[in-house]
Amino acid sequence: CSFLGSSGQNFRDMMKHSQLNMMECMELSLRARLLAPTAPDTLSCFPFKNNDPFVIHQCPYVYFCGNNDGFRVKTLIHPQDEKTPVCLLQIPSFVTTQQIVLFNVKTLTPELMQICCV
């Protein structure tokens, strides 16, 4: 089970230049096989001369984005394995929500957990 994710700046930058929501940006990024399609033009990063480290060579089974206002999940069909889903996860910011996401790698299902202070 392979995971690929980011803190969310790449998708927020895509949203600035489109009318897509976060989940749509994640799906478009995965289908285009580019983790940061707006880099280095509008998303600050070091430009690379000989290769692009943001190209997704192998489709992950879990594609996640952190620092969101809430928890969202969407399932797609894996392009190399039609029997296995790809799970897109928007993980909430712990600082603002006090929530974490637990992920079962056997069933490829997430579970949201609220952390409460005593």
Side-chain angles (χ1 to χ4, degrees):
C1 185
S2 59
F3 288 73
L4 179 62
S6 75
S7 59
Q9 289 104 329
N10 51 337
F11 303 122
R12 277 186 272 294
D13 194 58
M14 286 175 70
M15 290 170 56
K16 288 179 189 175
H17 304 286
S18 71
Q19 294 181 345
L20 301 175
N21 64 36
M22 182 71 74
M23 192 61 77
E24 292 168 333
C25 287
M26 290 178 70
E27 186 174 349
L28 178 62
S29 164
L30 187 61
R31 291 191 190 281
R33 300 290 180 106
L34 290 170
L35 185 59
T38 59
D41 297 329
T42 59
L43 180 66
S44 296
C45 78
F46 184 79
F48 291 84
K49 185 176 182 178
N50 297 325
N51 68 342
D52 187 348
F54 301 119
V55 171
I56 302 170
H57 295 286
Q58 184 178 356
C59 184
Y61 289 95
V62 180
Y63 194 43
F64 66 91
C65 166
N67 297 312
N68 289 283
D69 56 352
F71 173 71
R72 290 172 195 81
V73 62
K74 183 175 182 176
T75 304
L76 305 174
I77 295 173
H78 196 284
Q80 283 97 25
D81 182 2
E82 293 182 3
K83 295 178 183 177
T84 305
V86 175
C87 185
L88 303 184
L89 291 175
Q90 284 182 237
I91 299 173
S93 167
F94 182 77
V95 172
T96 57
T97 66
Q98 288 74 51
Q99 295 174 332
I100 61 171
V101 176
L102 303 176
F103 194 82
N104 185 324
V105 294
K106 289 184 181 180
T107 62
L108 295 178
T109 55
E111 180 182 343
L112 185 67
M113 180 179 281
Q114 183 74 44
I115 306 295
C116 297
C117 298
V118 178

